[in-house]
């Protein structure tokens, strides 16, 4: 409050205090949005003020204007935006991006983009690699620009923005802009070069309206209003870390957007998308107006929520909502909440059965996860790529019988030379190992046969 009061003249002091008191009576301060970066946290309150805590970028104490990071153990306001409304904010490992109203209040397409913090890779979009102690406006998206910013996301050292035209035409259009570190293709510009100023991701199809964008450590994902998802960056845009066991022919970084396929047979799988969100090495999508979740990427610690801990190279359904949803619905449909003892006993019996069913489901999911992991390891060792659903033979998918000889012959017939060479090497090594073991066992048998006779002779 002392810092705020210093901004006004003495003559304005009384009026400002009265106005502030009146506002406090009418509005209780509450948080409307939060974001977390590498070592910092940010929040926007209902009055449009921005708060920061953790490792906050500040001016060095020696007064030379250089950047340093000072730990703040409680939220502190970002005073630079006093008199404006902060609408969106994002942060990376060391940098912050905020969308702020041009005037005091947010009115439609009047948002201005400000960045500050670490800028070693151009992630501030200001045309250089100099760090910024205080927020500075990104000149590309000034008020005269035909595109206005409406969404923002940060990776470790790169930034992504969504813009739409200020004067909408019959066709609603939007565009994704990226800048900063691009060594893993996370900018989607068709190269692995760094960008110091915002550049459009030109290979996204047009016209398209993008509803959400997010960044992982080294990948970026967007989703359109039509339910199409694109990703780019590390490991084909999956965001997998280098130690992931993905060695197929399509391995490598995606320097341009790749469409993440859904069903592919029955049309778009991601109808009515809500949001896409990226972790360090995985991606989660909310669609069907919030009723369904998909995830893909690195699956360690069960982060994909699909009952498995293996990496998933295509969208898999998240096991949500819980199984007791139907019972909740049944409870809502009951005309009266007051039940007799018989009804209570019945509910107790249902809960007991539900609990047993859920325990059995968890056990089956655990066994399935172990079996799938084992199959994936075997498949990867033999064929050089992870086991996926399309690798299941058609005869096994369509019936309970499985002709292994016929399927093996069919697989060999359809395999290319690279695959056949890998199979030959794999089985040659396997055969050599088997022969070696057989030889050792035979030698042991011979020794056992002759050892007693030799001892007896002595």
């Amino acid at each position: 409050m002392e810092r705020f009061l210093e901004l006004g003249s003495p003559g304005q002091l009384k009026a400002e205090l009265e106005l502030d008191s009146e506002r406090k009576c009418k509005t209780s301060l509450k948080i409307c949005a939060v974001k977390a970066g590498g070592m910092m946290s940010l929040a926007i309150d209902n009055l449009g003020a921005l708060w920061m805590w953790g490792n906050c970028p500040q001016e060095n104490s020696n007064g030379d204007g250089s950047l340093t990071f000072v730990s703040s153990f409680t939220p502190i306001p970002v005073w630079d935006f006093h008199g404006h409304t902060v609408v969106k904010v994002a942060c990376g490992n060391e940098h912050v991006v905020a969308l702020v109203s041009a005037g005091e209040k947010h009115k439609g397409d009047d948002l201005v983009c400000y960045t500050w913090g670490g800028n070693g890779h151009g992630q501030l979009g200001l045309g250089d690699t100099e760090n910024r102690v205080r927020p500075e406006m990104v000149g590309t998206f000034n008020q005269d620009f035909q595109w206005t910013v409406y969404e923002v996301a940060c990776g470790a050292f790169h930034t992504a923005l969504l813009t739409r035209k200020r004067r909408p035409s019959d066709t609603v259009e939007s565009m994704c802009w990226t800048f900063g570190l691009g060594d893993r293709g996370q900018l989607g510009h068709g190269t692995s070069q760094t960008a110091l100023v915002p550049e459009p991701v030109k290979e996204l199809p047009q016209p398209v309206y993008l509803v959400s964008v997010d960044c992982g450590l080294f990948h970026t994902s967007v989703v359109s209003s039509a339910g199409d998802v694109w990703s780019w960056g590390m490991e084909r845009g999956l965001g997998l870390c280098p130690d992931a066991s993905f060695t197929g022919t399509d391995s490598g970084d995606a320097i341009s957007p790749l469409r993440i396929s859904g069903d592919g047979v029955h049309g778009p799988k991601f109808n009515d998308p809500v949001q896409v969100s990226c972790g360090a090495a995985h991606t989660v999508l909310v669609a069907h107006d919030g009723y369904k979740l998909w995830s893909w990427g690195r699956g360690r610690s069960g982060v994909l929520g699909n009952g498995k801990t293996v990496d998933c190279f295509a969208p898999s359904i998240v096991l949500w909502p819980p199984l007791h949803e139907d019972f909740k619905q049944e409870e809502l449909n009951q005309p009266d909440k007051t039940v007799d003892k018989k009804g209570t006993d019945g509910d107790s019996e249902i809960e007991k059965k539900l609990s047993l069913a859920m325990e059995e489901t968890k056990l089956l999911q655990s066994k399935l996860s172990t079996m799938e992991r084992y199959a994936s390891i075997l498949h990867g060792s033999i064929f050089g790529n992870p086991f996926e659903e399309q690798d299941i033979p058609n005869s096994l998918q369509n019936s309970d019988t499985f002709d292994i000889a016929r399927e093996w012959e069919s697989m060999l017939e359809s395999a290319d030379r690279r695959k056949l060479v890998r199979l030959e090497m794999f089985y040659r090594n396997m055969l050599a190992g088997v022969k070696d073991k057989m030889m050792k066992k035979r030698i042991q048998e011979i020794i056992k046969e002759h050892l007693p006779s030799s001892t007896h002779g002595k």
Side-chain angles (χ1 to χ4, degrees):
M1 281 305 300
E2 289 175 1
R3 290 289 303 276
F4 269 119
L5 295 176
E6 287 172 5
L7 299 174
S9 63
Q12 296 174 324
L13 182 56
K14 184 177 179 181
E16 289 179 355
L17 283 172
E18 290 175 353
L19 180 60
D20 184 66
S21 178
E22 184 180 348
R23 283 178 176 172
K24 284 184 178 179
C25 293
K26 292 182 178 179
T27 308
S28 297
L29 202 62
K30 65 177 183 179
I31 298 301
C32 299
V34 291
K35 281 288 181 179
M39 293 294 286
M40 70 181 80
S41 301
L42 298 144
I44 302 173
D45 66 30
N46 56 326
L47 298 181
L50 179 64
W51 301 79
M52 177 185 296
W53 61 99
N55 269 8
C56 303
Q58 294 184 17
E59 186 175 352
N60 200 312
S61 57
N62 59 21
D64 61 359
S66 61
L67 176 72
T68 186
F69 288 88
V70 179
S71 295
S72 174
F73 303 116
T74 58
I76 57 174
V78 179
W79 301 101
D80 301 79
F81 300 130
H82 175 62
H84 298 268
T85 301
V86 180
V87 178
K88 297 284 179 71
V89 70
C91 54
N93 276 16
E94 299 178 342
H95 73 294
V96 185
V97 183
L99 304 184
V100 186
S101 65
E104 184 177 355
K105 300 293 183 182
H106 173 39
K107 299 176 182 177
D109 295 335
D110 69 336
L111 293 181
V112 181
C113 181
Y114 286 88
T115 60
W116 70 101
N119 192 33
H121 303 280
Q123 60 263 43
L124 300 186
L126 301 174
D128 55 47
T129 56
E130 297 295 322
N131 299 329
R132 297 299 195 279
V133 175
R134 304 174 73 86
E136 190 168 320
M137 186 178 70
V138 180
T140 304
F141 306 110
N142 59 36
Q143 291 291 287
D144 298 327
F145 193 53
Q146 63 173 332
W147 299 86
T148 182
V149 186
Y150 65 94
E151 286 290 344
V152 60
C154 294
F157 302 105
H158 76 288
T159 306
L161 299 165
L162 298 184
T163 63
R164 57 177 173 243
K165 285 192 173 180
R166 291 185 184 275
R167 300 173 183 82
S169 57
D170 294 336
T171 304
V172 180
E173 295 181 56
S174 67
M175 188 173 292
C176 181
W177 304 70
T178 56
F179 45 95
L181 183 65
D183 62 336
R184 307 307 300 262
Q186 59 264 49
L187 302 184
H189 297 163
T191 72
S192 56
Q193 296 179 356
T194 291
L196 304 183
V197 295
E199 296 180 17
V201 182
K202 296 180 180 179
E203 294 193 33
L204 285 172
Q206 290 292 340
V208 66
Y209 188 77
L210 304 172
V211 297
S212 180
V213 61
D214 203 15
C215 304
L217 286 179
F218 304 105
H219 76 290
T220 308
S221 296
V222 295
V223 58
S224 73
S225 57
D228 293 314
V229 178
W230 292 271
S231 285
W232 55 92
M234 178 179 279
E235 287 296 341
R236 312 304 289 170
L238 293 169
L240 295 174
C241 290
D243 59 348
S245 57
F246 184 51
T247 57
T249 56
D250 291 333
S251 63
D253 299 333
I255 58 177
S256 298
L258 292 179
R259 187 175 180 273
I260 303 298
S261 60
D263 196 322
V265 178
H266 305 291
K269 186 176 182 179
F270 312 117
N271 293 326
D272 303 316
V274 177
Q275 181 184 358
V276 64
S277 185
C278 298
H282 75 289
T283 306
V284 180
L285 175 71
V286 187
H288 287 244
D289 275 335
Y291 288 102
K292 287 189 178 182
L293 288 162
W294 284 266
S295 61
W296 58 95
R298 193 165 69 165
R300 296 181 186 179
S301 302
V303 71
L304 300 182
N306 57 8
K308 311 170 189 176
T309 57
V310 295
D311 300 339
C312 192
F313 303 95
S316 61
I317 196 74
V318 177
L319 301 177
W320 186 90
L323 295 175
H324 61 270
E325 181 190 49
D326 293 337
F327 292 90
K328 284 187 176 180
Q329 187 63 41
E330 182 179 339
E331 182 179 328
L332 291 173
N333 292 334
Q334 290 180 357
D336 191 356
K337 291 186 178 180
T338 305
V339 294
D340 55 17
K341 185 178 184 300
K342 184 178 179 181
T344 304
D345 293 340
D347 291 342
S348 178
E349 186 66 25
I350 290 176
E351 288 180 4
K352 186 184 294 184
K353 289 181 178 179
L354 175 60
S355 178
L356 291 173
M358 292 183 70
E359 287 297 325
E360 187 175 351
T361 302
K362 287 180 181 179
L363 180 61
L364 290 173
Q365 287 176 349
S366 177
K367 289 182 178 180
L368 178 62
S369 177
T370 303
M371 292 170 65
E372 287 187 340
R373 189 170 185 178
Y374 179 65
S376 183
I377 292 172
L378 285 178
H379 194 274
S381 300
I382 298 172
F383 299 106
N385 58 288
F387 179 76
E388 296 181 357
E389 189 174 348
Q390 58 264 30
D391 295 319
I392 300 175
N394 291 328
S395 62
L396 192 60
Q397 287 182 346
N398 301 327
S399 66
D400 295 332
T401 59
F402 178 60
D403 189 337
I404 188 170
R406 182 182 299 175
E407 290 294 343
W408 180 254
E409 183 65 31
S410 176
M411 186 276 294
L412 291 177
E413 188 68 30
S414 62
D416 56 18
R417 186 179 183 280
R418 182 196 64 81
K419 193 172 184 179
L420 291 172
V421 170
R422 183 181 177 87
L423 285 170
E424 182 186 20
M425 290 179 60
F426 175 78
Y427 283 106
R428 184 182 295 170
N429 292 336
M430 288 281 287
L431 183 60
V434 171
K435 287 182 176 179
D436 183 59
K437 290 294 183 184
M438 290 179 65
M439 178 66 71
K440 287 181 179 179
K441 286 186 177 296
R442 182 54 186 156
I443 291 173
Q444 290 173 353
E445 290 172 357
I446 294 174
I447 292 173
K448 286 181 180 179
E449 289 175 2
H450 292 80
L451 190 58
S453 57
S454 299
T455 305
H456 181 72
K458 289 181 180 180

